[in-house]
Amino acid sequence: MTQRIAVLGATGSIGDSTLSILADYPEQYQVYALSGHGRLDKLLELCQQFKPSRVAVAEDKVKEFSNRLKQANISCEVVGGQAGLDNIAADAKVDTVVAAIVGAAGLSSTLTAAKAGKRILLANKEALVMAGSLMMQAVKDNGATLLPLDSEHNAIFQCLPAAVQQQNTRIHESCYGISKLWLTASGGPFLNKSLQLMQTASVSEAVKHPNWSMGQKISVDSATMMNKGLELIEACHLFDLDESQINVVIHPQSIIHSMVEYCDGSFLAQMGSPDMRTPIAHALAYPNRITAGVKSLDLYELSALEFIKPDLQKFACLKLARDAMRAGQAATIVLNAANEVAVEAFIKEQVSLTDIALINGRVLDTMHHKVSNNLMAKEDQLLTSNSTNKNSNFNGNINTLDDILVIDKLARIEAQQEVAKCRS
Ligand code: NDP
Ligand code: MG
């Protein structure tokens, strides 16, 4: 049977890797829908190559892109904005949604896919950081399937017992004897550089990842190790574990993609070349396997595999993520929002790389004060009475997507203020 696939975030790095595999298996997979945002030339080329039935772009680009498709003689429905993405995610014709939009922009469509009971191949870790409980509940309630594309989580998934993989049972059940998860991290481009060098790092130095080729935001997150922090939170939700049951270890070679430790002393690890086509092919074909064009590991060539404990002073974002996970969902939403704003400011050369942790920490502190003193509802009312969003009724409990978006919005405002302080 042909699987109909929607690739949301098709113009990005994960989109590239996914489509390169799909192109090799036209009988098994039909590219039914695509989405892009800023890179519309690239999206047009993808539409020419894959002939999707539907495509999503930003709301204000629908007309322009429809005209370009017409001129190119491509027949394809164009939908716009968040509503368009949600509509594709819930489309009855879609079997599998590849959630590869970066950041909070991917949350709503990922959640919609879960509510529509889809098979979701999840790259957008920010969706779980912001809405982990809501997402996991929606998956469960609607019979959706969630398969991780993030290489570490995909590795852990592969090292878990089949019954746990198939969501027939919980990871905690004592008969499986799982005692810990080990998330590996490359340590990024500054692993062997001083904090001082990190302070003055340029954007091009920060995004030059030693082992992986990725989008700009995740590359900056890897340089600060915020990426590993987000992945720690992602793993807690995906595998239903406490943060204390997940260790992070730096493994500069990026050959072991993560490990599961069992109570008898066994460590099961998944290894391979650092190439996202491996986890993507795994999730696409699961429980079968397909080739992905990935270079085989040459074990004779591999010299040493190193493992190092992370320096939490240098990589303060990793500690902030662990603290936020312990503090609860409001804190993880705040951390994600602050980080997106801070990373954007770094990419625009408004703040330094080390300011990112500073901004994230300060926003967490201020927002913690506001949440504990119940100032959020008042502040949101003040803001919404002056804005177009009149629907918000945040009352301190986080039960809906709207509740999450209120905290996200307030944290972004706070983060912008911190960015301004760093610049002055
Ligand atoms: P890229 O920046 O390469 O791609 C991001 C995609 O999201 C693009 O298609 C982009 O469109 C789209 N996009 C950006 N902003 C919006 C918006 N406001 N609304 C709708 N679409 C938007 O990122 P990556 O592919 O590297 O990462 C995607 C996700 O996967 C992230 O969450 C990342 O953490 C995760 N991930 C990535 C890995 C990697 O190796 N790259 C590994 C593990 C996880 P356009 O380009 O047209 O502007
Ligand atoms: Mg990863």
Side-chain angles (χ1 to χ4, degrees), residues 9 11-14 37-39 100 102 123-126 150 214-215 276:
T11 45
S13 160
I14 293 288
H37 193 65
R39 288 176 268 191
V102 62
N124 177 236
K125 60 192 81 181
E126 295 90 347
D150 215 344
M214 309 181 284
M276 285 307 292

Side-chain angles (χ1 to χ4, degrees), residues 376-404:
M376 300 274 291
K378 277 184 218 146
E379 194 166 320
D380 184 47
Q381 268 162 18
L382 267 175
L383 281 166
T384 45
S385 62
N386 295 325
S387 80
T388 49
N389 177 11
K390 309 271 182 209
N391 300 327
S392 168
N393 60 349
F394 181 68
N395 59 9
N397 296 320
I398 308 169
N399 299 318
T400 65
L401 181 58
D402 281 343
D403 297 338
I404 291 168

Side-chain angles (χ1 to χ4, degrees), residues 281-331:
H282 169 266
L284 273 171
Y286 179 81
N288 301 320
R289 298 265 179 183
I290 53 174
T291 56
V294 176
K295 189 170 159 262
S296 170
L297 262 188
D298 186 345
L299 293 176
Y300 297 124
E301 282 286 305
L302 273 182
S303 49
L305 298 182
E306 296 167 279
F307 301 97
I308 306 160
K309 197 171 181 178
D311 172 350
L312 294 184
Q313 256 182 334
K314 185 165 160 188
F315 297 113
C317 284
L318 180 55
K319 180 175 183 311
L320 289 178
R322 208 177 263 288
D323 292 347
M325 187 63 214
R326 222 176 287 133
Q329 195 186 353

Side-chain angles (χ1 to χ4, degrees), residues 161-351:
V164 177
Q165 287 182 356
Q166 283 147 21
Q167 300 172 6
N168 294 331
T169 183
R170 289 161 69 90
I171 201 168
H172 307 283
E173 301 212 349
S174 57
C175 58
Y176 296 119
I178 293 162
S179 48
K180 251 190 177 28
L181 305 183
W182 289 80
L183 282 179
T184 52
S186 69
F190 300 104
L191 175 63
N192 297 316
K193 307 256 160 67
S194 67
L195 188 61
Q196 229 167 0
L197 256 167
M198 250 177 111
Q199 254 153 5
T200 55
S202 67
V203 175
S204 59
E205 285 166 339
V207 300
K208 208 182 312 144
H209 197 280
N211 307 332
W212 297 94
S213 153
M214 309 181 284
Q216 217 174 14
K217 192 250 174 186
I218 185 176
S219 298
V220 175
D221 283 346
S222 298
T224 59
M225 282 192 77
M226 184 73 242
N227 183 47
K228 212 48 55 183
L230 297 176
E231 289 183 355
L232 173 79
I233 300 168
E234 180 186 11
C236 290
H237 292 296
L238 267 178
F239 304 115
D240 194 17
L241 290 174
D242 198 74
E243 56 78 29
S244 62
Q245 293 166 286
I246 305 174
N247 283 355
V248 172
V249 62
I250 292 179
H251 164 48
Q253 293 79 16
S254 298
I255 295 296
I256 292 183
H257 299 304
S258 278
M259 293 167 267
V260 179
E261 179 182 348
Y262 288 84
C263 60
D264 59 4
S266 300
F267 277 61
L268 296 196
Q270 186 261 358
M271 290 166 59
S273 298
D275 187 325
M276 285 307 292
R277 287 176 300 174
T278 296
I280 294 169
H282 169 266
L284 273 171
Y286 179 81
N288 301 320
R289 298 265 179 183
I290 53 174
T291 56
V294 176
K295 189 170 159 262
S296 170
L297 262 188
D298 186 345
L299 293 176
Y300 297 124
E301 282 286 305
L302 273 182
S303 49
L305 298 182
E306 296 167 279
F307 301 97
I308 306 160
K309 197 171 181 178
D311 172 350
L312 294 184
Q313 256 182 334
K314 185 165 160 188
F315 297 113
C317 284
L318 180 55
K319 180 175 183 311
L320 289 178
R322 208 177 263 288
D323 292 347
M325 187 63 214
R326 222 176 287 133
Q329 195 186 353
T332 63
I333 300 167
V334 168
L335 178 59
N336 181 67
N339 185 59
E340 284 192 26
V341 171
V343 169
E344 199 186 328
F346 170 68
I347 290 170
K348 289 184 183 155
E349 299 181 352
Q350 295 170 342
V351 302

Side-chain angles (χ1 to χ4, degrees), residues 40-96:
L40 294 190
D41 293 344
K42 186 167 178 184
L43 189 62
L44 187 69
E45 282 169 23
L46 295 176
C47 289
Q48 269 159 335
Q49 184 183 353
F50 291 98
K51 312 262 180 312
S53 301
R54 308 187 74 193
V55 63
V57 294
E59 191 65 66
D60 59 349
K61 299 283 184 224
V62 173
K63 234 185 180 164
E64 176 194 328
F65 198 68
S66 302
N67 288 336
R68 291 183 68 179
L69 285 172
K70 235 183 244 159
Q71 276 163 15
N73 237 337
I74 302 167
S75 135
C76 170
E77 184 199 356
V78 184
V79 292
Q82 203 57 68
L85 288 167
D86 290 354
N87 193 286
I88 287 178
D91 187 324
K93 294 211 175 108
V94 169
D95 302 305
T96 298

